C-alpha cells in the first residue's frame, strides 16, 4: 500500500507562493460571498460552502504560520514593532 510523503523540500519562496495563492483564493471567495449576498440573500447553501472554504484556507494559513521559525540577529540592534 502506498504511503504519504511526509518529507517536503520547500524553500522560503515556495512557502511565500503558497501563502499568496491562499490569500488570493480567500479574496476571491470573499468577493463571491459578497456578490451572492447582495444579489439574493436566499443563496444560503452556497454561502455556507463558501464560508467553509474560507475557514479551511484560513486554518491552513494559520498552520503554515505556526510552523515558521522567527528569529532576529543577535549581533545587530533589533527595532521591532
Amino acid at each position: 500500500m502506498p504511503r504519504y510523503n511526509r518529507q517536503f523540500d520547500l524553500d522560503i519562496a515556495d512557502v511565500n507562493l503558497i501563502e499568496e495563492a491562499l490569500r488570493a483564493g480567500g479574496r476571491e471567495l470573499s468577493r463571491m460571498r459578497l456578490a451572492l449576498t447582495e444579489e439574493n440573500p436566499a443563496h444560503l447553501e452556497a454561502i455556507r460552502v463558501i464560508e467553509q472554504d474560507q475557514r479551511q484556507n484560513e486554518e491552513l494559513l494559520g498552520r503554515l504560520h505556526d510552523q515558521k521559525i522567527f528569529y532576529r540577529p543577535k549581533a545587530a540592534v533589533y527595532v521591532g514593532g
Side-chain angles (χ1 to χ4, degrees):
M1 173 175 258
R3 291 182 279 157
Y4 291 109
N5 179 13
R6 297 194 182 272
Q7 184 68 31
F8 294 95
D9 186 24
L10 300 174
D11 62 9
I12 299 298
D14 296 334
V15 174
N16 284 335
L17 183 62
I18 292 168
E19 288 178 332
E20 288 303 316
L22 286 169
R23 287 188 185 102
R27 287 190 296 271
E28 184 61 30
L29 288 170
S30 292
R31 284 188 200 105
M32 289 169 52
R33 185 184 186 287
L34 184 60
L36 281 175
T37 305
E38 290 175 347
E39 180 178 295
N40 184 356
H43 291 106
L44 292 178
E45 187 58 34
I47 291 172
R48 273 192 218 107
V49 170
I50 290 171
E51 287 175 345
Q52 181 180 5
D53 289 346
Q54 286 176 310
R55 196 170 304 111
Q56 287 174 342
N57 275 2
E58 289 299 317
E59 287 173 0
L60 179 54
L61 277 169
R63 287 193 308 271
L64 283 172
H65 177 80
D66 290 344
Q67 291 182 29
K68 291 180 180 179
I69 299 172
F70 295 95
Y71 71 96
R72 63 180 180 197
K74 295 187 190 238
V77 176
Y78 177 75
V79 178

